[in-house]
Amino acid sequence: MSSFYPGRGSPPSYSGPPGNNPPPGVPPGAPPGAPPGVYPPSGNLPNGDQNMQFQSYGVNNYGRTQRGSAGNIPSSVPPQFSTFGAQSAVPNTPPRITPSRPEMLAPSLGPPPPMGGYSAPPPSVGGYTAPPPSVGGYSGPASGPSPNYSQNYPPPPSGTSPVQRPAVPSSKVQFYSMGDGNPTPTAPAAPPTISNAQTQEMPGPPGYQSSVPSASDGLTSQFSRMGMSSNFDTQSVPQQPGYTGMGTGSFVNPSASSYGGAGRMQGQGVTPRTAAMDELPGIQDLDMSIQADPRIMRMTVGEIPNSASLHSQCKIPIGLIIQPMALDDTIPPYGGCELVNFGHQGIVRCKRCRTYINPYACWLSNGRQWRCNVCGMLNDVPTSYFCHLDGSNHRRDRDQRPELSSGSVEIQAPAEYMVRPPVAPVYFFVIDVSVNSITCGALQVAVDSIKECIDRLPGDDRTQFGLMTFDRSIHFYILKPSLSQPQMLVVSDIDDMFLPCPDDILANLSESKAIIEILLDQLPQMHRANRSVDSALGPAVNAAGKVMAHIGGKMIVLCCNLPSLGEAKLKHRENPRLLGTDKEHMMLKPEDSWYQNKVQDFSKLQICVDMFLFGSSYMDICTLEQLSSKSGGQLFYYADFSIQQHGENFSRDLTRVLTRATAFESVMRVRATRGLRMSNFYGNYFMRGTDLLALPNCTPESVFAIEIAFDEQILSSTVICFQAALLYTSSNGERRIRVHNLAVPVKMMIQEIVASISIDAMCNFMAKQALDVAINKGLDAARSKIFDTCIDVLRASRGSFGGYAGGMQPTQTDNKALPESIELLPLYSMALQKNPAFRGGAEIRPDERYYFMSLLNNMSVEDSRSFIYPRMFSIHDMPENAGLPAPPDAGSQGLNVAGRFELTVLPYATNLSAERLSSDGIYLLENGVSLLMWIGRAADGSIINSLVGVPSLEGVDVSTLSLLPPRDDAPDSDPCRKVNAVVRALREEHNQVWMELLVMGEGDGQKEYKFFWHLVEDRAAFPGGGMNYAEFMQHVTRQSF
């Protein structure tokens, strides 16, 4: 009886061909073709059912008679075997029992059968060796808010010498004592002792062996352990702590090493692939109401073509726009995502494509298996994650599990998702103190802003702070809490840069706060007599990178001059004769490769660079911007900076950068259902491999656009699922995974696809596609790209909607035949061609144009809506409710409102045409980047005086005017109070930059031309922009037939 389950009666009889005896290992009466192995005996089965079928152990199907159905195993049937490893390597596998009658699927079951909890047959049966008792659930880090890293990262072995540093020649370093006035040279009380080792690396945190992760053992190793491979295979699986049977990112065949590999960690078996098992879930299997917030993930189309040929016919751009932390400031914490801790079982993921468990997974075999919605693979469910299904084949605990009921979720990452323990947030400032920085006031505004928000830096008492300044030399500052005054160390030899006192440059913010504030107070006075106009930006950035190499963090760079000394110096490339020609784009390409190479090193070291540029002359922004765009940072540019005009703007931007929610050491990968692939990426990131975005920092302003292409001629599913996973370290030192999910139906009709277009997302994506064309081929080619895309979409809609009837000649009024979803596409396409990023002519300098391009490349859909087609409001005739809080039923009343925290009623919007302007009017234009107020010469003097403090603009320098704050005793009808409320609401809607307000008067030639840039419905004086809206609509209508 050792070959049968005990206590179950006699085995079934073998019913093979007459005269044949059953093969060895098969009991008499077993079904024909039954494999040898261990068979349960026959007898009275539950519910009196004797009609049971036996299936081979490797089939992995519990009575699944049709797609989407699952069978239940009666509780009296012995526990089933867990699918640990490839069954092809396990001989004589026992059968699975499948009820043949549908009515046997109904009974409710007790506890789930334990995975791997069966009694092993004796060694004589097939030579099969049972797994150890621990198989079926791995002992990982205990569940809780944060793992104990001291157990996972032991200290270095005894005898390991600390990281050494090169000796610093004393003749190259000058020590300064920081007093009340100018710094005076002095000898340090205790000169630093630095060894002669040939390395600049700084020692890491306790227990961390390597201070600088390399490209091979950093992000790449981390994601090999996570199994975040872009290919659908089992060759990239996570490695568990304590498991030594496999190297990083390699897979061990279970037949060669029993129960090795990451599948044992999660308690998930490797199911043999068959055609049926790769079947993707259909739209009828999914709850399409569960989606990520559209502010986080948005498609250019709401429905996807079912084949590559259909896509080529309609030529509609298919793109995905992701802003993974869009809601972190609006809905703290975690942007409204619920936190999930999978505990010791490990995170549940697909064994092949590594997709995280999500609401679109299909459940089979009464909850014992789940089908991946991305690759279609069947995965076994870990024992501790098991739950029975309801009548709709949904888990009964779905509403209690955020990962199964929410489009976005925050997962607590276990220790194996870390290359090193989470490090403290680092904020390191690299500030230009040349004469330009002093005279324009940028240095004063910077130190005042840093001091104001120093208590609000993320990280609590773990935050690290550092500061260095530069002109023609580099100035380091020692901020040890034991000092009464900060010490300044000057390194003049910028060609052989080294770090004096490298261990003392970074200081704990909470411990050294007092001395940091002393430094910030004294910094402008220390350099007030500086007359240097040179800029050693390259050596300064290189030195700052060495200081941060062991820990990473955020580097904030403030620069006022074109780099002119040391490595990475740049030359003046601006040529006015090339403006408006087909060679203008050559000035928009980076020149020096040093910046691109340096940012690759920064990406490996988890260093993000945010740049603030204050240029009164050419600065070669397209080259400097490489430091910020490729490291996940942001660029801010203030042309002709003056503290009166741009001081508040710069202060607000810097404060936002320092205090906003920030994800450190982050990487992101996006997955899509089989048949589609990610073909191109747009945004601020550094690409590792083919689809892994390396983001040393990720913020609520980080936006990524992804172009989707067909990988198969015909899609095999009726729904396409997208999943974006952001792995990051929070400012509190917790490793997290932010997962967003989106499902889009697949359609066969062009009509349905065109009707599903999101016009705002479409134009955002079109603009980012055109940016690449503008830089590589020129502005004319970019404008042609925009126009051609518009024509292709209109042609697709004409064909699908039948075009015009009767063969009549189309006119400008025939746009009514367009689907509602693309009625505004011609208008937005024309506006985009006249946008400062793409418009022709010689009016826009290369630095200014490239700054607009960098903004557009990292712009969200909400921001680009106004940037592409601005809004112009009439101020002089505002209705009574304008500027007041919006009523609860503002939407039903058709009111135009704005604001994030409190909605405010906006004035009437007018068309962007000079015909709408009048000399007796006042107009406010908002483009998502700035606010422009145009005041007519004959405007009401009382309104002008209330807004800017002068009764008339005659004889007044308009550049000195600004919007006055409202008086405390002013009534609600006061124009100044209303306009301030409207401005506040508009600023709340846009966080990418602080929108400064520029006041200009009618006839003000220096500023007024920028206002007229945005009147896109009028003719523009550059090739391709000479049509107004009516003429452009006629031209588009003719071209789209």
Side-chain angles (χ1 to χ4, degrees), residues 449-461 463 465 509-510 513-514 517 658-659:
S449 302
I450 296 172
K451 186 176 179 181
E452 181 182 353
C453 62
I454 197 170
D455 292 329
R456 294 186 286 157
L457 294 181
D460 301 328
D461 57 352
T463 304
F465 183 95
L509 179 59
S510 60
K513 179 183 175 182
E517 291 179 340
L658 297 179
T659 59

Side-chain angles (χ1 to χ4, degrees), residues 397-452:
D397 64 346
R398 182 177 64 163
D399 294 336
Q400 287 74 44
R401 290 193 174 273
E403 71 274 17
L404 304 180
S405 57
S406 301
S408 300
V409 70
E410 186 93 350
I411 301 176
Q412 181 169 312
E416 62 267 17
Y417 285 72
M418 308 175 194
V419 174
R420 59 182 179 181
V423 296
V426 174
Y427 291 84
F428 195 88
F429 297 86
V430 182
I431 302 178
D432 187 347
V433 291
S434 63
V435 62
N436 290 343
S437 177
I438 304 298
T439 56
C440 73
L443 176 61
Q444 184 65 54
V445 176
V447 296
D448 291 343
S449 302
I450 296 172
K451 186 176 179 181
E452 181 182 353

Side-chain angles (χ1 to χ4, degrees), residues 938-960:
D940 190 337
S942 61
I943 299 179
I944 298 177
N945 187 54
S946 174
L947 295 178
V948 296
V950 295
S952 174
L953 299 185
E954 294 294 334
V956 176
D957 183 4
V958 183
S959 63
T960 62

Side-chain angles (χ1 to χ4, degrees), residues 435-662:
V435 62
N436 290 343
S437 177
I438 304 298
T439 56
C440 73
L443 176 61
Q444 184 65 54
V445 176
V447 296
D448 291 343
S449 302
I450 296 172
K451 186 176 179 181
E452 181 182 353
C453 62
I454 197 170
D455 292 329
R456 294 186 286 157
L457 294 181
D460 301 328
D461 57 352
R462 303 166 54 251
T463 304
Q464 301 288 306
F465 183 95
L467 188 147
M468 60 184 292
T469 57
F470 69 95
D471 43 28
R472 63 181 303 108
S473 56
I474 311 299
H475 321 124
F476 298 90
Y477 299 90
I478 307 302
L479 302 173
K480 294 191 297 185
S482 58
L483 298 175
S484 59
Q485 290 285 336
Q487 286 185 338
M488 181 173 72
L489 288 72
V490 179
V491 178
S492 302
D493 188 359
I494 60 176
D495 294 327
D496 186 18
M497 181 53 58
F498 60 91
L499 298 181
C501 300
D503 297 331
D504 298 330
I505 298 176
L506 278 180
N508 182 276
L509 179 59
S510 60
E511 297 175 357
S512 303
K513 179 183 175 182
I515 197 168
I516 290 173
E517 291 179 340
I518 293 175
L519 173 63
L520 294 175
D521 290 336
Q522 296 179 356
L523 205 57
Q525 294 298 321
M526 289 164 48
H527 299 281
R528 71 178 184 273
N530 191 356
R531 293 294 177 264
S532 174
V533 296
D534 294 317
S535 173
L537 176 64
V541 169
N542 191 25
K546 293 179 180 180
V547 174
M548 305 171 65
H550 72 291
I551 192 171
K554 182 182 288 291
M555 183 190 302
I556 299 96
V557 179
L558 282 65
C559 183
C560 297
N561 302 289
L562 182 72
S564 57
L565 293 178
E567 57 183 339
K569 66 179 180 180
L570 300 173
K571 61 182 180 180
H572 193 284
R573 295 192 297 143
E574 185 179 24
N575 186 353
R577 291 179 295 180
L578 297 181
L579 297 178
T581 68
D582 56 355
K583 295 184 179 180
E584 180 179 357
H585 71 284
M586 300 302 296
M587 294 186 292
L588 303 177
K589 292 184 177 181
E591 180 190 34
D592 198 320
S593 61
W594 184 91
Y595 293 90
Q596 299 184 31
N597 297 333
K598 180 57 64 175
V599 79
Q600 292 183 29
D601 298 335
F602 284 175
S603 178
K604 299 174 186 177
L605 300 174
Q606 303 294 339
I607 298 175
C608 168
V609 181
D610 287 314
M611 298 200 72
F612 294 82
L613 304 180
F614 315 86
S616 58
S617 59
Y618 178 72
M619 295 194 65
D620 199 356
I621 287 182
C622 64
T623 300
L624 298 178
E625 190 258 354
Q626 302 299 307
L627 284 177
S628 59
S629 64
K630 303 301 181 184
S631 64
Q634 195 172 349
L635 172 70
F636 300 87
Y637 175 59
Y638 311 92
D640 300 323
F641 180 87
S642 67
I643 194 170
Q644 294 82 10
Q645 181 176 345
H646 305 99
E648 182 184 8
N649 190 19
F650 168 44
S651 177
R652 297 275 189 166
D653 288 338
L654 181 58
T655 301
R656 172 68 179 166
V657 167
L658 297 179
T659 59
R660 64 189 173 187
T662 303

